[in-house]
Amino acid sequence: LEPYKNYSFIYEACNSIGCTRQIEPILVQTLESLPKNQPTPIVQRIEIDKNVNPCFSIKWSLPLHPNGLIIFFEIYKISIPNDGYEVHNLVKNISILNENLLRTLSLTESQNKNFSLLDCDLFENTFYSYRIVSINNKGKTESNMSKPIISKQ
């Protein structure tokens, strides 16, 4: 049986005289377990005004296997100044201590299956990467960091 799924059972009891079948099905829901497989967020630059730094739109969805009711998300952001280093290698080796919690989003705030957030708190000439943590009553699952994207140069 899979976690947090509804199942319907109908049973039949038999003896030497014959069989009798239950008329109404028994409905059962399995217990929650840890969520699994949070997809990586999609990040896009949005130009609101050419004289102002752009904003980033961060979009994500529920884990592929929520295994329960997702109660909230944590959205983390990492910023990397553009110092001419190979940013993709830098992101792989960066310490978790450089990561900041951007926002906690309760699922009561949005009952959709797809979610988004706008981040306009950006510095010029800086790479940004984001990850999502989905949390249910049994634990959490984390996405990979998004592909780094640079703010206005």
Side-chain angles (χ1 to χ4, degrees):
L1 300 178
E2 294 181 35
Y4 206 65
K5 298 286 182 191
N6 294 321
Y7 291 91
S8 174
F9 295 96
I10 297 176
Y11 66 89
E12 185 174 52
C14 297
N15 61 22
S16 61
I17 300 173
C19 295
T20 181
R21 189 174 194 165
Q22 177 189 354
I23 297 171
E24 293 294 320
I26 297 173
L27 302 176
V28 177
Q29 184 178 58
T30 54
L31 297 175
E32 287 184 290
S33 69
L34 290 172
K36 294 181 182 176
N37 306 102
Q38 176 61 52
T40 303
I42 297 169
V43 182
Q44 296 176 316
R45 182 184 1 263
I46 297 175
E47 300 280 343
I48 297 173
D49 182 343
K50 291 187 180 199
N51 297 322
V52 180
N53 273 346
C55 294
F56 290 147
S57 167
I58 303 108
K59 296 180 181 181
W60 70 97
S61 60
L62 289 170
L64 298 178
H65 304 284
N67 294 335
L69 181 64
I70 299 298
I71 51 179
F72 62 93
F73 296 104
E74 292 175 342
I75 300 92
Y76 288 89
K77 163 174 136 173
I78 192 166
S79 59
I80 307 159
N82 185 10
D83 295 334
Y85 293 107
E86 185 69 33
V87 72
H88 297 287
N89 291 333
L90 188 59
V91 170
K92 290 178 186 175
N93 298 320
I94 201 121
S95 165
I96 198 79
L97 297 175
N98 293 329
E99 193 174 55
N100 296 312
L101 178 63
L102 178 63
R103 175 138 187 237
T104 300
L105 177 69
S106 169
L107 217 54
T108 58
E109 293 178 43
S110 176
Q111 296 299 327
N112 298 323
K113 293 188 178 190
N114 295 301
F115 306 89
S116 64
L117 178 68
L118 199 59
D119 182 13
C120 296
D121 187 19
L122 307 171
F123 294 105
E124 284 188 17
N125 203 29
T126 301
F127 285 96
Y128 291 92
S129 185
Y130 300 84
R131 76 180 173 95
I132 305 298
V133 177
S134 294
I135 300 165
N136 72 12
N137 287 315
K138 293 294 182 178
K140 63 184 178 179
T141 184
E142 303 176 8
S143 74
N144 291 325
M145 295 298 290
S146 65
K147 180 180 175 183
I149 187 168
I150 194 164
S151 61
K152 187 175 180 179
Q153 293 183 334

